[in-house]
Amino acid sequence: MHELSLAVEICRIAERAVGPGRTRRIREVTVEVGDDAGVEPSNLSFCLETLLDEPPFHHARPRLVRETGDALRVCSLEVDDDDPDD
Amino acid sequence: MTIRTIEVREKVMARNDELAAEVRKRLSAHHVGALNLVSAPGSGKTLLLERTLERLGDELSLAVIAGDVQTQNDADRLARHTDRLVQAVVTHGGCHLDARQVLVALEALDLQATDLVFIENVGNLVCPASWDLGETAKVVVFSVTEGEDKPLKYPKMFQQARYAVLNKIDLLPHVPFDLDLAVHHAHAVNADLRFFLTSALTGEGIEEWCDFVRACARSALPV
Protein backbone atom coordinates (compact mmCIF):
# COMPACT_ATOMS: atom_id res chain seq x y z
CA MET A 1 0.00 0.00 0.00
CA HIS A 2 2.79 2.39 0.91
CA GLU A 3 4.63 1.56 -2.30
CA LEU A 4 1.43 1.98 -4.32
CA SER A 5 1.03 5.52 -2.95
CA LEU A 6 4.62 6.26 -3.97
CA ALA A 7 4.11 4.71 -7.41
CA VAL A 8 1.07 6.93 -8.02
CA GLU A 9 3.13 9.97 -7.05
CA ILE A 10 5.99 8.87 -9.35
CA CYS A 11 3.52 8.60 -12.26
CA ARG A 12 2.16 12.07 -11.43
CA ILE A 13 5.69 13.51 -11.53
CA ALA A 14 6.43 11.75 -14.85
CA GLU A 15 3.18 12.98 -16.37
CA ARG A 16 3.95 16.55 -15.34
CA ALA A 17 7.52 16.33 -16.65
CA VAL A 18 6.47 15.38 -20.22
CA GLY A 19 3.38 17.59 -20.32
CA PRO A 20 -0.32 16.72 -20.42
CA GLY A 21 -1.41 14.25 -23.07
CA ARG A 22 2.13 13.15 -23.90
CA THR A 23 2.53 10.19 -21.56
CA ARG A 24 2.53 7.74 -24.51
CA ARG A 25 6.01 9.03 -25.32
CA ILE A 26 7.51 7.71 -22.08
CA ARG A 27 9.53 4.53 -22.55
CA GLU A 28 11.30 4.30 -19.22
CA VAL A 29 11.06 5.94 -15.78
CA THR A 30 14.25 5.85 -13.70
CA VAL A 31 13.81 6.13 -9.95
CA GLU A 32 16.58 6.31 -7.35
CA VAL A 33 15.73 4.33 -4.21
CA GLY A 34 17.88 4.66 -1.11
CA ASP A 35 18.50 1.71 1.18
CA ASP A 36 17.01 3.73 4.06
CA ALA A 37 14.07 5.15 2.10
CA GLY A 38 11.60 2.80 3.78
CA VAL A 39 10.70 1.28 0.44
CA GLU A 40 10.69 -2.34 -0.65
CA PRO A 41 12.16 -2.02 -4.20
CA SER A 42 10.56 -5.12 -5.72
CA ASN A 43 7.16 -4.05 -4.38
CA LEU A 44 7.60 -0.53 -5.78
CA SER A 45 8.74 -1.96 -9.11
CA PHE A 46 5.65 -4.18 -9.27
CA CYS A 47 3.34 -1.24 -8.51
CA LEU A 48 5.06 0.89 -11.17
CA GLU A 49 4.91 -1.88 -13.77
CA THR A 50 1.18 -2.13 -13.16
CA LEU A 51 0.50 1.61 -13.36
CA LEU A 52 2.85 2.33 -16.28
CA ASP A 53 1.24 -0.44 -18.30
CA GLU A 54 -2.15 1.26 -18.15
CA PRO A 55 -3.50 4.45 -19.75
CA PRO A 56 -2.52 7.24 -19.86
CA PHE A 57 0.87 5.52 -19.95
CA HIS A 58 1.64 3.07 -22.70
CA HIS A 59 3.79 0.16 -21.57
CA ALA A 60 6.54 2.31 -20.06
CA ARG A 61 9.08 0.41 -17.94
CA PRO A 62 10.30 1.32 -14.49
CA ARG A 63 14.05 1.25 -13.77
CA LEU A 64 15.02 1.34 -10.13
CA VAL A 65 18.54 2.39 -9.18
CA ARG A 66 19.65 1.49 -5.67
CA GLU A 67 21.42 4.20 -3.68
CA THR A 68 22.73 4.57 -0.16
CA GLY A 69 20.86 6.80 2.30
CA ASP A 70 17.20 7.76 2.17
CA ALA A 71 17.01 9.13 -1.37
CA LEU A 72 13.76 8.57 -3.22
CA ARG A 73 13.49 10.60 -6.39
CA VAL A 74 12.43 10.41 -10.00
CA CYS A 75 15.77 10.71 -11.73
CA SER A 76 14.97 10.80 -15.45
CA LEU A 77 12.55 9.77 -18.19
CA GLU A 78 13.43 8.14 -21.47
CA VAL A 79 11.02 9.41 -24.13
CA ASP A 80 10.40 8.74 -27.79
CA ASP A 81 9.97 11.99 -29.70
CA ASP A 82 8.65 10.18 -32.77
CA ASP A 83 5.52 8.89 -31.11
CA PRO A 84 3.03 8.15 -33.91
CA ASP A 85 0.25 9.93 -32.04
CA ASP A 86 1.99 13.26 -32.51
CA MET B 1 12.62 6.60 -33.52
CA THR B 2 14.22 9.52 -31.65
CA ILE B 3 14.99 8.61 -28.11
CA ARG B 4 16.09 11.22 -25.60
CA THR B 5 16.38 11.53 -21.86
CA ILE B 6 14.58 14.12 -19.76
CA GLU B 7 16.31 14.90 -16.47
CA VAL B 8 13.76 15.21 -13.69
CA ARG B 9 15.59 14.92 -10.35
CA GLU B 10 12.41 15.40 -8.32
CA LYS B 11 11.92 13.90 -4.87
CA VAL B 12 8.96 11.56 -4.82
CA MET B 13 7.87 13.08 -1.52
CA ALA B 14 8.27 16.66 -2.76
CA ARG B 15 4.54 17.41 -2.93
CA ASN B 16 3.91 15.93 0.51
CA ASP B 17 6.85 17.92 1.89
CA GLU B 18 5.40 21.13 0.42
CA LEU B 19 2.07 20.45 2.11
CA ALA B 20 3.83 19.54 5.38
CA ALA B 21 5.60 22.90 5.23
CA GLU B 22 2.20 24.56 4.83
CA VAL B 23 0.90 22.67 7.90
CA ARG B 24 3.95 23.82 9.84
CA LYS B 25 3.44 27.42 8.69
CA ARG B 26 -0.20 27.47 9.80
CA LEU B 27 0.59 25.94 13.18
CA SER B 28 3.51 28.30 13.68
CA ALA B 29 1.38 31.35 12.81
CA HIS B 30 -0.84 30.46 15.78
CA HIS B 31 2.05 29.35 18.02
CA VAL B 32 0.55 25.87 18.19
CA GLY B 33 2.62 22.66 18.34
CA ALA B 34 1.57 19.27 17.01
CA LEU B 35 2.56 15.85 18.34
CA ASN B 36 2.27 12.98 15.86
CA LEU B 37 1.62 9.74 17.77
CA VAL B 38 2.85 6.71 15.85
CA SER B 39 2.79 3.06 16.85
CA ALA B 40 1.90 -0.47 15.85
CA PRO B 41 -1.81 -1.31 16.16
CA GLY B 42 -2.88 -1.99 19.74
CA SER B 43 -0.08 -0.22 21.62
CA GLY B 44 -2.55 2.03 23.42
CA LYS B 45 -2.38 5.37 21.57
CA THR B 46 -6.10 6.01 21.85
CA LEU B 47 -6.32 5.15 25.55
CA LEU B 48 -3.25 7.33 26.23
CA LEU B 49 -5.01 10.21 24.50
CA GLU B 50 -8.24 9.52 26.39
CA ARG B 51 -6.35 9.74 29.69
CA THR B 52 -4.61 12.91 28.49
CA LEU B 53 -7.90 14.57 27.55
CA GLU B 54 -9.49 13.48 30.85
CA ARG B 55 -6.66 15.04 32.87
CA LEU B 56 -5.97 18.15 30.82
CA GLY B 57 -9.21 18.82 28.98
CA ASP B 58 -10.33 21.55 31.42
CA GLU B 59 -6.88 23.09 31.63
CA LEU B 60 -5.75 23.13 28.00
CA SER B 61 -7.46 23.39 24.66
CA LEU B 62 -6.31 20.15 23.01
CA ALA B 63 -7.40 19.23 19.51
CA VAL B 64 -7.05 15.77 18.02
CA ILE B 65 -6.78 14.59 14.42
CA ALA B 66 -7.54 10.88 14.67
CA GLY B 67 -6.45 8.73 11.75
CA ASP B 68 -7.90 5.29 11.21
CA VAL B 69 -7.85 2.80 8.36
CA GLN B 70 -11.58 2.15 8.61
CA THR B 71 -14.23 3.27 11.13
CA GLN B 72 -14.37 6.38 13.30
CA ASN B 73 -14.18 4.35 16.51
CA ASP B 74 -11.08 6.07 17.89
CA ALA B 75 -12.40 9.55 17.13
CA ASP B 76 -15.71 8.65 18.79
CA ARG B 77 -13.88 7.37 21.89
CA LEU B 78 -11.82 10.55 22.14
CA ALA B 79 -14.79 12.84 21.56
CA ARG B 80 -16.34 11.55 24.81
CA HIS B 81 -13.51 13.16 26.76
CA THR B 82 -13.36 16.63 25.28
CA ASP B 83 -15.55 19.46 24.11
CA ARG B 84 -12.84 20.37 21.61
CA LEU B 85 -13.11 19.15 18.06
CA VAL B 86 -11.84 15.67 17.33
CA GLN B 87 -11.34 15.47 13.60
CA ALA B 88 -11.54 11.94 12.17
CA VAL B 89 -9.52 11.02 9.10
CA VAL B 90 -10.44 7.63 7.63
CA THR B 91 -7.81 6.47 5.14
CA HIS B 92 -9.99 3.69 3.62
CA GLY B 93 -7.17 1.17 3.56
CA GLY B 94 -4.28 3.63 3.39
CA CYS B 95 -1.44 2.64 5.71
CA HIS B 96 -0.45 6.15 6.83
CA LEU B 97 -1.67 9.72 7.10
CA ASP B 98 -0.21 12.22 4.65
CA ALA B 99 0.27 15.98 4.92
CA ARG B 100 -2.69 16.73 2.64
CA GLN B 101 -5.07 14.91 5.01
CA VAL B 102 -3.69 16.84 7.98
CA LEU B 103 -3.95 20.15 6.12
CA VAL B 104 -7.61 19.43 5.33
CA ALA B 105 -8.25 18.40 8.94
CA LEU B 106 -6.68 21.63 10.20
CA GLU B 107 -9.32 23.58 8.27
CA ALA B 108 -11.90 22.32 10.75
CA LEU B 109 -9.87 23.34 13.81
CA ASP B 110 -9.91 26.79 15.37
CA LEU B 111 -6.16 27.12 15.81
CA GLN B 112 -6.53 30.51 17.45
CA ALA B 113 -8.28 28.76 20.34
CA THR B 114 -6.00 25.69 20.41
CA ASP B 115 -3.03 25.05 22.71
CA LEU B 116 -1.77 21.82 21.13
CA VAL B 117 -2.76 19.43 18.35
CA PHE B 118 -2.41 15.67 18.66
CA ILE B 119 -2.27 13.62 15.49
CA GLU B 120 -3.10 9.97 16.10
CA ASN B 121 -1.56 8.25 13.10
CA VAL B 122 -2.66 4.95 11.58
CA GLY B 123 -1.33 1.95 13.55
CA ASN B 124 1.77 1.07 11.56
CA LEU B 125 5.44 1.36 12.46
CA VAL B 126 6.73 1.36 8.87
CA CYS B 127 4.97 3.75 6.49
CA PRO B 128 4.21 6.71 8.80
CA ALA B 129 7.97 7.10 9.34
CA SER B 130 8.33 8.26 5.73
CA TRP B 131 5.58 10.88 5.70
CA ASP B 132 6.20 14.30 7.17
CA LEU B 133 2.87 15.65 8.42
CA GLY B 134 4.17 19.05 9.45
CA GLU B 135 4.23 17.94 13.07
CA THR B 136 6.51 19.46 15.70
CA ALA B 137 7.65 16.03 16.84
CA LYS B 138 6.84 12.36 16.42
CA VAL B 139 6.08 10.37 19.56
CA VAL B 140 6.52 6.64 19.11
CA VAL B 141 4.31 4.53 21.39
CA PHE B 142 5.06 0.87 22.04
CA SER B 143 4.04 -1.52 24.78
CA VAL B 144 5.57 -4.20 26.95
CA THR B 145 3.62 -6.89 25.13
CA GLU B 146 5.44 -6.15 21.88
CA GLY B 147 8.99 -7.31 22.63
CA GLU B 148 12.16 -5.45 23.59
CA ASP B 149 13.56 -5.51 20.07
CA LYS B 150 10.87 -3.31 18.52
CA PRO B 151 13.32 -0.39 18.11
CA LEU B 152 15.75 -2.68 16.28
CA LYS B 153 13.03 -4.05 14.02
CA TYR B 154 11.67 -0.60 13.13
CA PRO B 155 14.75 1.64 13.38
CA LYS B 156 13.54 4.35 11.01
CA MET B 157 10.51 5.10 13.16
CA PHE B 158 12.58 5.26 16.34
CA GLN B 159 15.16 7.45 14.59
CA GLN B 160 12.44 9.83 13.38
CA ALA B 161 10.79 10.11 16.79
CA ARG B 162 11.91 12.58 19.40
CA TYR B 163 9.94 10.94 22.23
CA ALA B 164 8.98 7.38 23.13
CA VAL B 165 6.13 6.19 25.32
CA LEU B 166 6.51 2.66 26.66
CA ASN B 167 2.94 1.77 27.57
CA LYS B 168 1.16 -1.02 29.47
CA ILE B 169 3.83 -1.14 32.19
CA ASP B 170 1.17 -2.54 34.55
CA LEU B 171 1.70 -5.82 32.66
CA LEU B 172 5.44 -6.00 33.41
CA PRO B 173 5.02 -8.59 36.21
CA HIS B 174 3.12 -10.85 33.81
CA VAL B 175 5.15 -10.75 30.59
CA PRO B 176 8.78 -11.63 29.82
CA PHE B 177 9.83 -8.08 28.93
CA ASP B 178 13.25 -6.63 29.80
CA LEU B 179 12.62 -2.90 30.29
CA ASP B 180 16.30 -1.92 30.45
CA LEU B 181 17.04 -3.86 27.28
CA ALA B 182 14.18 -2.16 25.42
CA VAL B 183 15.45 1.29 26.42
CA HIS B 184 19.00 0.22 25.51
CA HIS B 185 17.84 -0.89 22.04
CA ALA B 186 15.89 2.34 21.53
CA HIS B 187 18.89 4.49 22.50
CA ALA B 188 21.11 2.40 20.22
CA VAL B 189 19.11 3.68 17.23
CA ASN B 190 18.36 7.14 18.68
CA ALA B 191 20.48 8.28 21.61
CA ASP B 192 18.39 11.43 22.12
CA LEU B 193 15.05 9.64 22.50
CA ARG B 194 13.28 10.77 25.70
CA PHE B 195 11.24 8.05 27.38
CA PHE B 196 7.94 8.07 29.23
CA LEU B 197 6.88 4.89 31.03
CA THR B 198 3.10 4.69 31.29
CA SER B 199 0.10 2.55 31.90
CA ALA B 200 -2.81 4.29 30.26
CA LEU B 201 -5.02 1.67 31.91
CA THR B 202 -4.00 2.24 35.56
CA GLY B 203 -2.74 5.81 35.20
CA GLU B 204 0.83 5.01 36.23
CA GLY B 205 3.26 7.49 34.66
CA ILE B 206 0.44 9.54 33.16
CA GLU B 207 1.17 12.56 35.36
CA GLU B 208 4.73 12.86 34.03
CA TRP B 209 3.38 12.51 30.47
CA CYS B 210 0.79 15.21 31.18
CA ASP B 211 3.51 17.52 32.56
CA PHE B 212 5.27 17.07 29.22
CA VAL B 213 2.06 17.85 27.33
CA ARG B 214 1.60 21.00 29.43
CA ALA B 215 5.16 22.06 28.61
CA CYS B 216 4.54 21.44 24.90
CA ALA B 217 1.38 23.53 24.98
CA ARG B 218 3.10 26.41 26.76
CA SER B 219 6.31 26.47 24.80
CA ALA B 220 4.46 25.99 21.49
CA LEU B 221 7.41 25.77 19.08
CA PRO B 222 9.77 24.07 19.26
CA VAL B 223 8.54 21.26 21.49
Side-chain angles (χ1 to χ4, degrees):
Chain A
M1 193 64 211
H2 174 68
E3 280 75 8
L4 183 57
S5 302
L6 298 174
V8 169
E9 184 62 15
I10 288 166
C11 290
R12 192 187 66 79
I13 291 170
E15 192 171 2
R16 201 179 59 220
V18 294
R22 312 192 97 180
T23 49
R24 283 177 65 90
R25 291 165 169 261
I26 300 173
R27 289 165 48 92
E28 186 173 87
V29 179
T30 300
V31 182
E32 292 176 347
V33 182
D35 292 334
D36 300 325
V39 173
E40 210 292 289
S42 63
N43 194 336
L44 178 61
S45 186
F46 175 73
C47 294
L48 281 172
E49 282 168 20
T50 304
L51 293 176
L52 292 172
D53 206 33
E54 297 290 328
F57 299 94
H58 191 70
H59 311 304
R61 345 176 259 280
R63 186 169 78 92
L64 269 51
V65 179
R66 302 300 301 273
E67 297 280 338
T68 55
D70 61 358
L72 183 62
R73 66 174 75 88
V74 180
C75 188
S76 62
L77 307 175
E78 186 181 280
V79 298
D80 179 0
D81 280 335
D82 290 337
D83 188 277
D85 284 359
D86 284 350
Chain B
M1 183 178 287
T2 308
I3 305 298
R4 68 185 171 98
T5 300
I6 299 175
E7 294 292 329
V8 181
R9 311 292 300 173
E10 183 170 339
K11 283 172 64 182
V12 174
M13 305 298 282
R15 182 63 185 144
N16 183 77
D17 292 348
E18 283 172 17
L19 294 170
E22 179 61 26
V23 170
R24 215 162 258 127
K25 189 174 150 191
R26 288 197 194 180
L27 292 170
S28 179
H30 293 90
H31 306 288
V32 175
L35 296 177
N36 178 7
L37 269 60
V38 291
S39 80
S43 65
K45 290 190 301 299
T46 309
L47 191 55
L48 179 68
L49 283 175
E50 285 184 279
R51 292 287 176 264
T52 307
L53 294 174
E54 279 172 9
R55 300 255 180 149
L56 300 178
D58 293 337
E59 183 183 334
L60 297 173
S61 186
L62 303 171
V64 184
I65 298 169
D68 225 327
V69 174
Q70 214 71 55
T71 84
Q72 287 191 196
N73 292 357
D74 289 354
D76 291 344
R77 277 172 61 185
L78 292 167
R80 291 187 203 117
H81 300 278
T82 179
D83 295 331
R84 294 281 304 148
L85 190 63
V86 176
Q87 186 69 3
V89 179
V90 179
T91 65
H92 299 289
C95 53
H96 57 269
L97 292 180
D98 60 37
R100 181 187 54 79
Q101 291 165 321
V102 173
L103 197 56
V104 170
L106 280 187
E107 296 288 340
L109 302 180
D110 179 3
L111 289 177
Q112 194 64 41
T114 300
D115 292 319
L116 187 69
V117 176
F118 285 104
I119 303 168
E120 183 182 357
N121 215 313
V122 172
N124 180 344
L125 275 177
V126 181
C127 308
S130 298
W131 300 80
D132 182 7
L133 302 184
E135 73 274 346
T136 314
K138 283 187 176 69
V139 180
V140 61
V141 182
F142 68 126
S143 66
V144 302
T145 55
E146 296 177 46
E148 306 91 344
D149 57 352
K150 208 100 199 195
L152 301 180
K153 286 181 171 176
Y154 302 92
K156 185 168 183 178
M157 185 60 88
F158 283 81
Q159 285 161 358
Q160 294 268 319
R162 214 185 300 174
Y163 305 97
V165 174
L166 181 57
N167 197 25
K168 305 188 187 180
I169 57 170
D170 55 302
L171 295 178
L172 276 172
H174 311 291
V175 293
F177 184 88
D178 187 331
L179 179 60
D180 292 336
L181 186 59
V183 174
H184 173 78
H185 286 330
H187 283 153
V189 296
N190 182 353
D192 298 326
L193 204 57
R194 178 181 167 188
F195 261 88
F196 298 91
L197 305 181
T198 64
S199 167
L201 189 67
T202 66
E204 193 175 351
I206 292 295
E207 202 49 54
E208 186 187 350
W209 162 254
C210 286
D211 286 343
F212 165 71
V213 173
R214 284 188 189 97
C216 291
R218 287 182 185 132
S219 65
L221 294 172
V223 172

